[in-house]
Amino acid sequence: MIRVAINGYGTIGKRVADAVAAQPDMKVVGVSKTRPSHEAYVAKQRGYPLYIADLAKKGDFERAGIPVAGDVEDMLKAADIVVDATPGGVGKKNRALYEKHGVKAIWQGGEDHEVAGFSFNSDCNFPDAVNRSFTRVVSCNTTGLCRIIKAMDREFGVKNVRAVMVRRGGDPGDIKRGPIDAVVLNPVTIPSHHGPDVQTVLPHVNIVTLAMIVPVTMMHMHVVQMDLEKTPTREQVIQIIERHPRMGLVRKSTGITSTAELKEYAMDLGRARSDLWENGIFEESVSVIGNELYLFQAIHQEADVVVENIDAIRAMTGTVTDAAKSIEMTNKALGFTPI
Ligand code: NAD
């Protein structure tokens, strides 16, 4: 069993913990929090040993009825690998701690590429992660872009990509974020950081991205256009999406034309937390004009990177060296059903 610690038990960390617990080859040895919260109660209920960043706060947890197993260093001593899911920018400060304890580490997309010197996506560069000590799983938007770009590049060759990201303003439970009533250009300059981020994983891809934030919480929506080397048929593109383990076709027959309905669909399918781990690609939007491909894809920001973290754990511990095998194991353990 691979012993996994999760440092930072928030939106991403709590999902990674449950995904690890669902795998046959992994075990959660601990999760960490900075202060008592509803998530700490859930960790207790799930039976995950709870560690805290600052032992001076131990009394606050104990008064709230939440037992503390120790501090983050104690947690690292029990682990083969740590998934750092602390807020963006905090994770890099933890690197020295991980090095001190000789524990492998995975960071999230809120950190810069340099925190690990290697950025990961299961479809694109799994073999390069095998036996690595440090890896960064790219952000939710970059993950969604990498999946579709890699799949099309493999079959048809991608000449260039132009993509517009309509980004959610905050996660559903994130009451501190805005905007309340605005479309915020994020950034106003072009390109956004997403294109260069895709190039940390797919360096040869010519990509320009633009992004804006809108006052919604459920998902991001991408408008993707690609110029391909070979001209595909629309049916070929749809077949690739249907067969892909991390892309789902939002069929015309479902009548779904929005993120809200797609999230409701995931909930009705019985997905844990109504999570959509795969890109939700709208069938009716898939259009081929000459050698240009157009489509809309919905990205559930809280979920798509979770499965990537699980594959990164297998690659880095060298326990599975084949991407397809790990992806299949991860999906099966989580109960992926086609959308
Ligand atoms: P979050 O704020 O929901 O959770 C972070 C957790 O870390 C909180 O529980 C907090 O208490 C804890 N924490 C803070 N400082 C800590 C410390 N020093 N030691 C231990 N724990 C600490 O954040 P999140 O949204 O889960 O984001 C985590 C990372 O994942 C970021 O890099 C973010 O950019 C990335 N990410 C987030 C999303 C998303 O949609 N939320 C999507 C993809 C990637």
Side-chain angles (χ1 to χ4, degrees), residues 260-273:
E261 294 157 292
L262 184 54
K263 201 72 183 359
E264 184 83 1
Y265 185 35
M267 187 161 61
D268 290 344
L269 285 171
R271 293 287 185 93
R273 294 191 175 89

Side-chain angles (χ1 to χ4, degrees), residues 35-322:
R35 56 180 181 276
S37 67
H38 80 271
E39 280 145 349
Y41 283 104
V42 174
K44 179 185 168 189
Q45 194 217 27
R46 298 267 206 273
Y48 303 146
L50 187 81
Y51 295 83
I52 57 177
D54 178 5
L55 272 184
K57 303 252 173 72
K58 194 172 178 203
D60 295 348
F61 282 84
E62 287 175 347
R63 276 188 292 280
I66 301 164
V68 171
D71 66 6
V72 169
E73 294 211 40
D74 294 326
M75 178 172 80
L76 296 178
K77 284 178 198 151
D80 301 312
I81 187 161
V82 57
V83 176
D84 187 304
T86 57
V90 174
K92 70 169 181 241
K93 298 181 196 142
N94 293 328
R95 181 173 163 138
L97 209 56
Y98 304 152
E99 282 175 328
K100 177 179 160 192
H101 288 278
V103 65
K104 292 177 183 248
I106 300 174
W107 285 271
Q108 310 305 310
E111 305 298 327
D112 293 335
H113 170 79
E114 287 66 34
V115 70
F118 173 72
S119 292
F120 175 82
N121 173 266
S122 309
D123 285 337
C124 300
N125 60 1
F126 185 101
D128 298 333
V130 171
N131 293 325
R132 265 188 193 268
S133 296
F134 299 126
T135 289
R136 163 185 171 261
V137 169
V138 290
S139 75
C140 46
N141 281 303
T142 305
T143 295
L145 286 171
C146 285
R147 287 176 183 164
I148 185 72
I149 295 169
K150 179 68 182 179
M152 293 304 131
D153 197 34
R154 197 182 284 132
E155 290 295 321
F156 311 116
V158 168
K159 265 202 266 189
N160 51 54
V161 183
R162 305 292 176 250
V164 179
M165 260 71 60
V166 180
R167 304 174 59 193
R168 60 88 178 98
D171 294 331
D174 197 356
I175 57 166
K176 292 194 211 86
R177 293 240 216 158
I180 302 298
D181 187 6
V183 177
V184 179
L185 304 176
N186 184 255
V188 64
T189 50
I190 296 167
S192 70
H193 72 275
H194 305 94
D197 204 28
V198 166
Q199 288 167 330
T200 63
V201 175
L202 296 169
H204 66 287
V205 169
N206 174 351
I207 176 166
V208 176
T209 52
L210 297 74
M212 61 190 87
I213 298 181
V214 296
V216 301
T217 59
M218 287 182 200
M219 289 185 175
H220 304 299
M221 185 70 82
H222 293 178
V223 185
V224 182
Q225 185 266 322
M226 291 182 212
D227 291 338
L228 303 171
E229 302 282 355
K230 290 189 218 148
T231 305
T233 64
R234 178 172 184 272
E235 288 64 39
Q236 283 174 313
V237 173
I238 286 181
Q239 257 185 20
I240 292 167
I241 295 167
E242 281 178 318
R243 289 181 188 154
H244 196 285
R246 297 272 166 86
M247 291 199 276
L249 197 64
V250 183
R251 290 174 196 283
K252 181 183 176 190
S253 52
T254 60
I256 295 173
T257 59
S258 69
T259 53
E261 294 157 292
L262 184 54
K263 201 72 183 359
E264 184 83 1
Y265 185 35
M267 187 161 61
D268 290 344
L269 285 171
R271 293 287 185 93
R273 294 191 175 89
S274 70
D275 280 354
L276 198 74
W277 300 292
E278 60 272 59
N279 299 15
I281 300 180
F282 290 78
E283 180 181 17
E284 284 179 281
S285 74
V286 176
S287 306
V288 177
I289 303 171
N291 72 336
E292 292 181 38
L293 169 66
Y294 293 84
L295 56 86
F296 286 123
Q297 63 174 8
I299 300 296
H300 183 196
Q301 75 280 356
E302 301 168 293
D304 70 339
V305 297
V306 171
V307 289
E308 305 289 326
N309 274 273
I310 300 300
D311 295 330
I313 292 169
R314 290 205 182 88
M316 291 167 69
T317 52
T319 50
V320 175
T321 53
D322 176 55

Side-chain angles (χ1 to χ4, degrees), residues 7-12 32-34 85-88 108 110 168 171 301:
N7 195 15
Y9 189 71
T11 305
I12 300 299
S32 78
K33 283 225 62 85
T34 44
T86 57
Q108 310 305 310
R168 60 88 178 98
D171 294 331
Q301 75 280 356

